[in-house]
Amino acid sequence: MGIAAGAVADLLFGDPRRGHPVAVFGTGAAAVERRTYRDDRVAGILHSAGLLTAVGLFGAMAERAGRRRGAASEAAAVAAAVFVASGGTTLCRTGEQMVALLRADDVEGARRLLPSLCGRDPSALDGPGLTRAALESIAENTSDAQIGPLVWVAVGGVPAALVYRAANTLDAMIGRRSPRYLRFGWAAARFDDLVNLMPARLTGLLVVVGAPAVGGSPAGAWRAWRRDAAKHPSPNAGVAEASFAGALGVRLGGPTQYAHELEIRPTLGDGRDPGVEDLARAVRLSRVVQVLAAIAAVSVASRTGRRASARW
């Protein structure tokens, strides 16, 4: 009940514009970083471990407090955790805004919006470049923003969902391979890779299942995933991006400009260069995958709960 309620709340409301707990965590993490930063891995390990442990303890206490008050309060705690940790609806709304801007040939507006989706340098991108960047971000963040929280709340409850979102936030803050964070952010980046192994692969499977809903190819999604995902520098983003590329019949990858470096990404998929309508289909596919993931999470949590009750 809690997972379903949290997923519906995200679908209806999206991320709050002010006072979002994830933003509060980010502000706190930045304040802690000013005291803990050293240009070495040990400092980064201690920084990340301390913050994630604090979040996990808070989640465990919130879940326990809800359980003591009864089933309805426990479900409310789970729902709140899912709502806080999820960002799928806001991701898709931002993707739809990008589609509208690109359809109107408003390249400057699309450049201003792109940082809401990814960390690339928008000034170096034209219309096709913005389209590809947005589509790759929709694919990757379908896993990060929505599938991950649902997987971890089903497996580990409130603390697991909150730790997952905190880890994802830390990776976005310090996990990039910039000169400042190459060593300090190493632990955050590796832990984020670890906790996304399951969500990314579930995303790939759900893209295969959901591809027909947007006129896509399940066989193409599976083929691109199995053939191309391992070429990507990320062990998880490659799965999501390759499966989306194959499902939509487009080709992703190539030169990717970040603020601190230019990366030459491998080719994912073997179709055409993505157009604006492909981006629109990617947003719809993301919504389909999110719904399927919510159904799967509720099913897993229900079955696990019944077994736990039987043992008790």
Side-chain angles (χ1 to χ4, degrees):
M1 289 175 61
I3 293 173
V8 170
D10 179 69
L11 180 63
L12 293 176
F13 304 113
D15 293 343
R17 294 186 178 183
R18 295 183 180 179
H20 195 299
V22 173
V24 173
F25 171 78
T27 300
V32 172
E33 182 189 330
R34 288 193 288 271
R35 294 179 175 273
T36 60
Y37 178 80
R38 301 289 186 277
D39 188 19
D40 65 70
R41 286 188 177 182
V42 173
I45 291 170
L46 295 175
H47 173 80
S48 297
L51 288 169
L52 295 176
T53 299
V55 169
L57 290 174
F58 172 80
M61 289 188 294
E63 187 174 64
R64 181 174 298 178
R67 186 177 297 122
R68 287 175 177 171
R69 294 185 176 92
S73 294
E74 184 178 4
V78 172
V82 172
F83 178 65
V84 166
S86 299
T89 294
T90 296
L91 171 70
C92 289
R93 289 176 180 174
T94 306
E96 289 167 349
Q97 293 172 22
M98 181 65 77
V99 168
L101 290 169
L102 291 171
R103 281 174 174 165
D105 292 325
D106 186 356
V107 173
E108 288 304 317
R111 285 173 176 163
R112 289 192 296 270
L113 182 62
L114 188 66
S116 299
L117 287 171
C118 62
R120 302 184 192 183
D121 180 5
S123 65
L125 299 176
D126 57 7
L130 290 163
T131 300
R132 176 172 74 83
L135 200 158
E136 290 172 351
S137 181
I138 291 293
E140 178 181 0
N141 286 301
T142 296
S143 177
D144 290 354
Q146 195 74 7
I147 312 307
L150 290 169
V151 165
W152 284 107
V153 76
V155 170
V158 172
L162 296 185
V163 167
Y164 173 82
R165 176 50 62 211
N168 200 247
T169 303
L170 278 179
D171 179 58
M173 294 176 67
I174 66 174
R176 304 298 182 188
R177 292 185 176 181
S178 65
R180 174 177 173 84
Y181 293 124
L182 185 61
R183 285 175 283 274
F184 185 76
W186 175 85
R190 297 291 78 76
F191 187 75
D192 184 71
D193 286 342
L194 178 65
V195 297
N196 274 295
L197 287 173
M198 283 194 298
R201 280 138 192 87
L202 178 60
T203 300
L205 288 173
L206 294 179
V207 168
V208 172
V209 173
V214 297
S217 168
W222 178 260
R223 182 171 58 251
W225 171 11
R226 305 309 299 170
R227 184 190 63 207
D228 299 335
K231 303 174 186 176
H232 197 283
S234 167
N236 301 313
V239 174
E241 292 181 22
S243 59
F244 264 74
L248 299 172
V250 299
R251 182 174 62 252
L252 302 176
T256 304
Q257 180 66 56
Y258 290 96
H260 55 277
E261 65 178 343
L262 173 66
E263 294 185 8
I264 305 300
R265 294 285 179 86
T267 298
L268 308 176
D270 51 13
R272 62 188 178 280
D273 290 335
V276 178
E277 297 311 311
D278 296 310
L279 176 58
R281 292 169 64 218
V283 173
R284 295 198 301 272
L285 180 56
S286 176
R287 290 191 183 277
V288 170
V289 168
Q290 291 176 39
V291 171
L292 292 174
I295 294 170
V298 170
S299 176
V300 168
S302 297
R303 293 172 184 275
T304 302
R306 283 199 297 271
R307 288 200 297 272
S309 298
R311 288 196 300 267
W312 178 256

